[in-house]
Amino acid sequence: MDNLIKDTATLELFSWLDPGTELPGWDILNGSPFGSSLAAPQGGPPEAGDQLMSVQNYFAEYHLEYFRQRRYSHFPSRLHALSQFATRTDAMTFRHKHPSRVFGKNLSCSRTQGAYICSFHDASWLDYLRLPHSLSLSALDEVADYYWSGKTVEEVGLSFMDEPWREPPVIEALYQGVLTPQQRHEQSGWLPGFR
């Protein structure tokens, strides 16, 4: 599998973090920009759509993990690995697609240190799984297989409600190992021109 790396060569990975946070250490379903819906980025009571989003997130994560255990058990689990962006460009594309999920956060860079295992996947598959549609179990398995094998949504060509569904790829890295934060100017998750 060319989207799975077990190595010691240094990689740079990126993540959106709350100000003052040194290293990512979130739970995939609660706090990660891939999993959570930050409908109220400044806190407050949950909104009506938050519960539906939580159920959709849980369902997507459950099926991906179930499929990983059956066919890709040598890959890091989304439930136990750190979710990072493979490049700064991927992080910025994610910000463009989901501004509310990175609102008020800073883009931080980390470098790998020592031995690690890391796999790369298109996070746009998660957006597709969270669309309001009903997929059969075979269709869910097909999406999960595309995700774990490293295919992008652009490669496959999807449709939603009988229309082509196109999204730019956002490559996430599922990382298990040690990360060292890099001291650089952080990019804000606020709107351009605001700090």
Side-chain angles (χ1 to χ4, degrees), residues 6-182:
K6 293 181 182 180
D7 208 339
T8 59
T10 302
L11 296 175
E12 279 192 339
L13 301 172
F14 296 85
S15 57
W16 289 101
L17 302 175
D18 289 320
T21 303
E22 291 184 25
L23 283 177
W26 53 56
D27 177 279
I28 193 69
L29 296 174
N30 185 16
S32 163
F34 294 110
S36 65
S37 168
L38 301 178
Q42 304 303 327
E47 295 181 11
D50 290 348
Q51 290 177 339
L52 176 60
M53 182 62 78
S54 294
V55 169
Q56 288 173 321
N57 289 340
Y58 177 82
F59 182 73
E61 294 297 342
Y62 174 85
H63 196 79
L64 286 173
E65 178 61 15
Y66 177 73
F67 195 84
R68 183 197 69 82
Q69 288 177 11
R70 289 187 301 157
R71 302 257 324 268
Y72 292 87
S73 60
H74 52 293
F75 277 64
S77 167
R78 289 183 50 79
L79 302 176
H80 302 292
L82 293 177
S83 294
Q84 303 282 302
F85 294 98
T87 66
R88 180 180 297 277
T89 301
D90 291 308
M92 297 308 286
T93 301
F94 185 86
R95 175 186 175 204
H96 177 73
K97 288 173 60 173
H98 303 288
S100 65
R101 295 187 192 173
V102 300
F103 182 79
K105 297 180 184 292
N106 295 322
L107 182 61
S108 299
C109 176
S110 298
R111 284 198 179 138
T112 61
Q113 183 179 356
Y116 60 84
I117 183 170
C118 186
S119 61
F120 298 94
H121 312 278
D122 186 356
S124 295
W125 287 112
L126 296 166
D127 293 336
Y128 187 72
L129 285 173
R130 292 181 181 118
L131 291 173
H133 52 65
S134 297
L135 296 174
S136 67
L137 287 177
S138 62
L140 285 170
D141 281 351
E142 189 175 3
V143 168
D145 193 39
Y146 288 143
Y147 173 85
W148 288 110
S149 67
K151 292 197 183 314
T152 65
V153 295
E154 283 184 329
E155 289 177 76
V156 175
L158 300 170
S159 64
F160 175 67
M161 298 182 74
D162 297 326
E163 295 291 325
W165 189 81
R166 294 182 180 94
E167 288 290 317
V170 175
I171 306 303
E172 65 177 348
L174 300 180
Y175 181 80
Q176 290 179 323
V178 177
L179 288 175
T180 305
Q182 297 303 295

